[in-house]
Amino acid sequence: MKVSMMHMQLLSTLLMTLVGRSRAECSEEQLNKAKLEFKDCLQEKKAYLLKLDAEKVGDDMQFLVCKGLKDLSTGCSEAVDNFSYCMGREHVDHLVDIHLNAISEILASFHPSLKLRECPVFNKPPPPIIHKKPEPEPEAAAAAAAAEPEYEPITASAGGILPSILLIAPLFLLQ
């Protein structure tokens, strides 16, 4: 059986769509909640850093800034984990790094005597990869099990891979 270029493109598009759908899916509400929690936590950590006054803290400024940068990097772990479930760990870690570098540049312009690149936070190992959502708390799992099952209409998007294969199989038989 000869497979045309069009059939190969169709098959590869289908496979890419299915692989894309296999990633963790969050509802719009879950995504917005995780995004807001992430943003609020990072804003709180950056506000602390911006409020530091070199004249008041004196010689401890380098230590306090490095500590604050570390807290920005690791202090929002719950928010990072929740947002990572929806958006992917690499994406969220990249956002944290962007915030870390941006606030460092701002702090460097306000406090040129600080040696921010010597802070341990800039010499950290890569973060762990989260492959699946953490298991729910036992109470939450029991409550979810007692609730009515969620209604899901029978459509092409709800059926999984088999209906998708059945949809494209006739194309190959036409050859």
Side-chain angles (χ1 to χ4, degrees):
M1 172 171 27
K2 184 177 178 184
V3 179
S4 71
M5 183 60 83
M6 184 181 85
H7 290 129
M8 289 302 294
Q9 288 173 338
L10 181 63
L11 183 60
S12 64
T13 302
L14 174 67
L15 289 175
M16 287 188 302
T17 302
L18 292 173
V19 168
R21 281 184 34 210
S22 68
R23 197 172 121 189
E25 294 180 15
C26 291
S27 69
E28 192 73 26
E29 182 180 338
Q30 289 171 318
L31 176 60
N32 288 337
K33 181 180 177 191
K35 194 183 297 185
L36 186 62
E37 179 184 3
F38 175 79
K39 180 188 76 70
D40 288 348
C41 187
L42 290 182
Q43 293 291 34
E44 178 186 320
K45 306 299 181 189
K46 290 189 290 187
Y48 165 80
L49 287 164
L50 293 171
K51 289 179 183 175
L52 286 175
D53 185 357
E55 292 178 9
K56 290 182 181 175
V57 295
D59 294 338
D60 291 335
M61 189 66 173
Q62 178 79 27
F63 171 76
L64 291 174
V65 168
C66 287
K67 182 180 172 216
L69 290 172
K70 180 177 189 231
D71 194 33
L72 175 69
S73 176
T74 61
C76 296
S77 60
E78 184 177 340
V80 166
D81 289 345
N82 291 340
F83 196 31
S84 294
Y85 176 70
C86 295
M87 297 300 296
R89 186 64 185 224
E90 281 185 59
H91 177 76
V92 176
D93 285 339
H94 184 66
L95 291 175
V96 171
D97 287 340
I98 289 171
H99 283 270
L100 188 63
N101 288 316
I103 195 68
S104 296
E105 293 294 323
I106 293 168
L107 291 170
S109 67
F110 285 127
H111 309 288
S113 63
L114 294 178
K115 297 177 176 103
L116 297 179
R117 293 296 165 191
E118 292 179 8
C119 292
V121 73
F122 293 109
N123 300 313
K124 63 182 179 178
I129 303 288
I130 296 177
H131 295 287
K132 67 175 194 168
K133 184 176 180 177
E135 295 298 320
E137 297 295 322
E139 303 89 41
E148 289 186 31
E150 187 176 312
Y151 171 75
E152 189 171 321
I154 300 175
T155 64
S157 65
I161 192 167
L162 185 58
S164 301
I165 292 173
L166 292 175
L167 284 173
I168 64 163
L171 295 175
F172 290 105
L173 297 175
L174 293 175
Q175 275 291 319

